[in-house]
Amino acid sequence: QTLQALRGEMRQEFIERNDEIDGVLLCALTRQHGILVGPPGAAKTLMIRGLVQAVYGTDDPSLEPRYFETTLSPFSTPDSLFGMLDPKEFEKGKYRFASCGFLQHAEIAYVDEIFNGNPGIMQATQNIINERVFAEGDRRVRCPLQFVVARINVNPQEGSNLEAFYDRFLLRYHTQYIADGDAFEDFWGNDVEPQVTTRFAEGDLDELRGFVSSVTVGDDVKAAVREIRDRVNRILGTPISDRRWRWCKTLLRAQAVLAGRDTVTMADLLGLQHALWERHEQKPDVLE
């Protein structure tokens, strides 16, 4: 009931963002990462903060060390993501960070322009996102990260060294500014920033994730997924990895939970449209 209330409230507060709202909720249910492709200024940060408020019960995410948010640029330095080096530990010959409240200790993170960092930052960020591990000098620290939502302006170019990193983001959404004139008029006439008041109780999210793992997937859905796989592989020209298809099974189960069901139906397969395209121009063919 709380999940449905949160979904409904966010859809009311954030205009023309139904797919993206479902996306951030599915990230929370599956512990998978999501990426929003599109220009800045489309309320993406506010959506993430709304989810954080619902999960952690705070109206100011900056005060909650379990949430981390930043914007990367080619001039970003490691301390902006991982904190400052601990001078006392450094004097002892140990490479340690005084890092409470930074990415390697966060449970939820929002990273704007995630592919803009320099190579050193990108490698450390990839390790956290891919393996939930942070290399700190002579040791590897296990990270509590549940999921990352990131934003980029455009997809990585083919042949770039970012494609493997990009592949770790299961859910992908192409976000644009408000298109409908009436919806824009409602938005423009409202002087109040979107607010999310629904709150999860402690343990609610873990319980919902337990529901996800128990959702039934029938033979009709399995057969449909096989056909979709064959067709999408032809559309893309290169096969989608077995790893991504395994993630998609959890996604379908979470899609059912988001709709209040304990069984995956054929309608849930529409959720795959956000997990199977690589470049936005492929999305219409994948959806079809």
Side-chain angles (χ1 to χ4, degrees), residues 207-250:
E207 187 172 359
L208 284 166
R209 288 167 176 160
F211 293 156
V212 169
S213 63
S214 65
V215 167
T216 301
V217 181
D219 290 340
D220 57 338
V221 171
K222 294 176 183 177
V225 166
R226 178 175 177 175
E227 182 176 350
I228 290 170
R229 175 177 178 264
D230 292 341
R231 293 190 183 193
V232 169
N233 283 345
R234 289 198 296 271
I235 290 169
L236 300 182
T238 55
I240 293 172
S241 69
D242 294 340
R243 175 182 62 203
R244 178 168 287 269
W245 279 112
R246 182 171 290 279
W247 289 346
C248 283
K249 185 176 183 180
T250 303

Side-chain angles (χ1 to χ4, degrees), residues 144-262:
L145 185 68
Q146 297 179 18
F147 65 91
V148 172
V149 176
R151 186 196 75 85
I152 56 175
N153 280 322
V154 294
N155 297 328
Q157 294 182 351
E158 290 187 54
S160 72
N161 59 1
L162 297 173
E163 289 181 296
F165 191 12
Y166 180 58
D167 187 59
R168 292 295 178 146
F169 292 87
L170 174 62
L171 288 160
R172 299 161 179 172
Y173 297 87
H174 195 266
T175 303
Q176 295 295 317
Y177 299 129
I178 296 170
D180 181 77
D182 291 337
F184 174 78
E185 186 175 344
D186 291 341
F187 159 80
W188 196 77
N190 190 349
D191 295 328
V192 180
E193 289 279 358
Q195 297 181 1
V196 175
T197 59
T198 304
R199 298 288 183 266
F200 284 115
E202 187 73 27
D204 277 357
L205 194 51
D206 289 334
E207 187 172 359
L208 284 166
R209 288 167 176 160
F211 293 156
V212 169
S213 63
S214 65
V215 167
T216 301
V217 181
D219 290 340
D220 57 338
V221 171
K222 294 176 183 177
V225 166
R226 178 175 177 175
E227 182 176 350
I228 290 170
R229 175 177 178 264
D230 292 341
R231 293 190 183 193
V232 169
N233 283 345
R234 289 198 296 271
I235 290 169
L236 300 182
T238 55
I240 293 172
S241 69
D242 294 340
R243 175 182 62 203
R244 178 168 287 269
W245 279 112
R246 182 171 290 279
W247 289 346
C248 283
K249 185 176 183 180
T250 303
L251 174 62
L252 290 175
R253 285 172 160 157
Q255 193 85 41
V257 169
L258 194 59
R261 289 183 273 97
D262 60 5

Side-chain angles (χ1 to χ4, degrees), residues 108-163:
I108 299 174
Y110 174 68
V111 183
D112 197 5
E113 294 290 3
I114 193 167
F115 296 142
N116 268 3
N118 62 53
I121 285 178
M122 293 298 295
Q123 184 58 58
T125 305
Q126 284 187 58
N127 289 341
I128 293 174
I129 290 177
N130 293 354
E131 304 173 32
R132 270 73 168 187
V133 166
F134 178 62
E136 192 175 45
D138 58 349
R139 67 177 183 175
R140 288 163 61 85
V141 180
R142 181 66 59 184
C143 301
L145 185 68
Q146 297 179 18
F147 65 91
V148 172
V149 176
R151 186 196 75 85
I152 56 175
N153 280 322
V154 294
N155 297 328
Q157 294 182 351
E158 290 187 54
S160 72
N161 59 1
L162 297 173
E163 289 181 296

